[in-house]
């Protein structure tokens, strides 16, 4: 699957920032980025890595059978493209509100299983942030 190229135009966001991370391994439940192994979901925001805090989305778990990615989380919107890795089997639900906010913010969403997301990120150089779910 080939990810779409970022659109040109002015949206008030700082553009041209490189993703700036290197992946050297992914398996169910862990990913190695810049020589560090993480065993929790990650957010990559303009080259900085932080833990995904999914507490705001837990209230939706009953409706999805899994804690989904909701617009209530700290989504790294300052980008042209947001790559969402949905886990090894692609089971992470992405709520409709996330799609709507992306459309309003003029952000291209690439939603694929995490192994594919890492492949997309390895080829991406600018204006891309990511959310990576490491299990299911």
């Amino acid at each position: 699957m080939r990810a779409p190229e970022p659109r040109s135009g002015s949206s008030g966001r700082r553009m041209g920032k490189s993703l700036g991370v290197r992946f050297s391994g992914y398996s169910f439940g862990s990913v190695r980025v810049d020589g560090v192994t993480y065993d929790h979901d990650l957010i990559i925001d303009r080259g900085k890595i932080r833990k995904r805090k999914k507490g705001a989305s837990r209230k939706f778990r009953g409706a999805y059978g899994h804690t989904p990615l909701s617009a209530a989380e700290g989504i790294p919107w300052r980008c042209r493209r947001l790559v969402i890795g949905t886990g090894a089997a692609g089971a992470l639900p992405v709520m409709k509100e996330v799609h709507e906010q992306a459309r309003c913010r003029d952000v291209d969403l690439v939603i694929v299983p995490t192994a594919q997301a890492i492949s997309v990120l390895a080829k991406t150089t600018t204006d891309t942030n990511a959310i990576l779910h490491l299990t299911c």
Side-chain angles (χ1 to χ4, degrees), residues 19-20 39 41 44 46 50 56 70 74 76 80 84 88 92 97 100 106 117 120 123 131 133:
L19 184 63
D39 62 356
D41 291 1
I44 302 173
R46 293 170 284 145
R50 69 178 191 262
S70 77
R80 286 271 186 209
I84 300 172
L92 176 71
E97 290 81 7
E100 291 169 356
D106 199 27
V120 169
K123 298 173 191 169
I131 299 172
H133 180 61

Side-chain angles (χ1 to χ4, degrees), residues 12-111:
R13 289 182 294 238
R14 192 172 125 209
M15 308 313 296
K17 178 72 174 165
S18 174
L19 184 63
V21 297
R22 291 187 329 172
F23 295 90
S24 56
Y26 166 68
S27 62
F28 186 89
S30 71
V31 65
R32 191 163 180 83
V33 186
D34 293 338
V36 178
T37 301
Y38 297 90
D39 62 356
H40 52 74
D41 291 1
L42 299 180
I43 292 186
I44 302 173
D45 185 358
R46 293 170 284 145
K48 293 186 174 35
I49 299 171
R50 69 178 191 262
K51 183 176 182 176
R52 175 181 167 220
K53 296 179 182 175
K54 47 190 166 179
S57 296
R58 285 201 175 103
K59 62 186 171 192
F60 303 111
R61 183 181 185 130
Y64 289 89
H66 186 293
T67 302
L69 178 64
S70 77
E73 290 186 37
I75 296 177
W77 289 119
R78 290 187 60 190
C79 60
R80 286 271 186 209
R81 178 187 299 145
L82 178 62
V83 177
I84 300 172
T86 57
L92 176 71
V94 179
M95 293 182 67
K96 182 175 81 172
E97 290 81 7
V98 173
H99 292 269
E100 291 169 356
Q101 279 199 19
R103 192 171 26 259
C104 289
R105 295 169 183 264
D106 199 27
V107 171
D108 293 323
L109 287 182
V110 178
I111 303 172

Side-chain angles (χ1 to χ4, degrees), residues 1-5 120:
M1 175 177 187
R2 186 181 161 122
E5 291 301 314
V120 169

